[in-house]
Amino acid sequence: MTVPQYPAPRGLLEGKVVVITAAAGAGIGGATARRCLEEGARVVVSDAHERRLVQSAEELAKEFGADRVSAIPCDVTSEDKVQALYAHAVEVFGRIDVAVNNAGLGGTDALVDMPDERWDRVLDITLNGTMRCTRAALRRMRDQGHGGVIVNNASVIGWRAQKGQSHYAAAKAGVMALTRCAALEAAEFGVRINAVAPSLAMHPHLVKVTSEELLAELTSREAFGRYAEPWEVANVILFLAGEYSSYMTGEVVAVSSQHP
């Protein structure tokens, strides 16, 4: 099945300030940054890979204007760097309206041979990093007093079993639970917190950490017979970030055509 037409901008985030982690490169974070800019937002992009971040930010600034794009490196395993990210966003753009917590680490490791270090690394980036960023964004939004939106990137693997993914599945299931619980706490501040759970979105990093055989198998499970383009996941993030989802909080939305 062919990929649908790329959507035309509709001003869905006009005037909003969006902070996105793991936004360098051609994955979901990069696609989300582009879609937010297309919809009128000002965007702070961050990533642990500084060289790739600078390159991505320069490309976006050239296309959308340097006054609408800012970049700062951030390793989400560091509380100090997470705090610096959100302080930077407020310093540059004066406020934060939307936070997209996209940073995560995957890979394939059989539990029987997995060292503690590998488990801890995946959990620290994927779950703890999402917690740190959610907490930092929520504090800023609470103090601003005008609400806000947080969107976390989970995965359908938080619901579904797959060999070699015990660390990643546990982390993503944790992101789902974190989203639901934090959303109840955030409601009193007028802040909504939701998550997307993609099944299979193709990007260069996924190709590096997944075998061709497994990718082919996962693709064959999709009802449309293809993987999602990163911008298709970004579209759902955009929906959750905007006013069309104003009554949604604590939800985990599958971005998938895969069925058990």
Side-chain angles (χ1 to χ4, degrees):
M1 184 174 290
T2 58
V3 178
Q5 186 175 353
Y6 194 85
R10 300 180 183 275
L12 298 178
L13 294 180
E14 196 69 42
K16 301 291 187 180
V17 175
V18 183
V19 179
I20 308 170
T21 60
I28 293 171
T32 301
R34 175 170 294 277
R35 289 292 291 120
C36 288
L37 286 161
E38 290 170 346
E39 296 294 341
R42 292 173 290 170
V43 175
V44 176
V45 290
S46 73
D47 203 284
H49 302 279
E50 188 168 353
R51 179 189 58 79
R52 199 167 64 191
L53 173 65
V54 170
Q55 181 181 358
S56 296
E58 288 177 348
E59 292 173 356
L60 292 172
K62 183 177 180 179
E63 184 172 352
F64 296 100
D67 60 331
R68 293 180 57 202
V69 181
S70 185
I72 178 172
C74 181
D75 177 353
V76 298
T77 67
S78 166
E79 175 65 15
D80 289 344
K81 291 181 180 179
V82 168
Q83 290 297 326
L85 166 62
Y86 288 96
H88 173 85
V90 173
E91 180 181 354
V92 173
F93 291 131
R95 57 189 286 156
I96 299 169
D97 299 294
V98 179
V100 180
N101 299 324
N102 177 63
L105 177 66
T108 301
D109 298 277
L111 181 62
V112 68
D113 296 318
M114 188 187 304
D116 283 358
E117 293 77 14
R118 180 64 177 167
W119 175 275
D120 291 344
R121 180 70 173 162
V122 171
L123 269 289
D124 199 19
I125 293 175
T126 307
L127 177 55
N128 297 345
T130 300
M131 180 278 295
R132 293 183 189 100
C133 291
T134 298
R135 182 175 61 192
L138 184 56
R139 287 172 176 169
R140 295 279 178 176
M141 292 173 179
R142 175 197 62 189
D143 294 345
Q144 288 172 164
H146 53 67
V149 179
I150 298 171
V151 184
N152 295 326
N153 192 356
S155 169
V156 294
I157 206 167
W159 290 312
R160 302 170 182 167
Q162 184 176 318
K163 289 181 179 179
Q165 297 295 312
S166 58
H167 45 9
Y168 189 66
K172 290 300 189 180
V175 169
M176 293 176 178
L178 167 68
T179 297
R180 290 189 291 265
C181 293
L184 294 181
E185 299 178 18
E188 67 176 286
F189 311 129
V191 175
R192 298 187 294 109
I193 305 178
N194 293 292
V196 293
S199 56
L200 183 63
M202 189 58 64
H203 54 85
H205 181 68
L206 181 63
V207 174
K208 292 179 181 178
V209 300
T210 310
S211 68
E212 291 184 9
E213 293 78 13
L214 180 56
L215 286 176
E217 178 188 344
L218 294 174
T219 301
S220 70
R221 298 178 188 173
E222 299 291 332
F224 295 135
R226 66 173 179 87
Y227 49 77
E229 297 294 331
W231 60 262
E232 292 182 287
V233 180
N235 284 344
V236 182
I237 293 173
L238 207 68
F239 164 72
L240 293 174
E243 298 306 317
Y244 285 128
S245 59
S246 59
Y247 197 65
M248 291 178 64
T249 196
E251 296 294 337
V252 180
V253 181
V255 188
S256 170
S257 68
Q258 184 183 139
H259 300 278

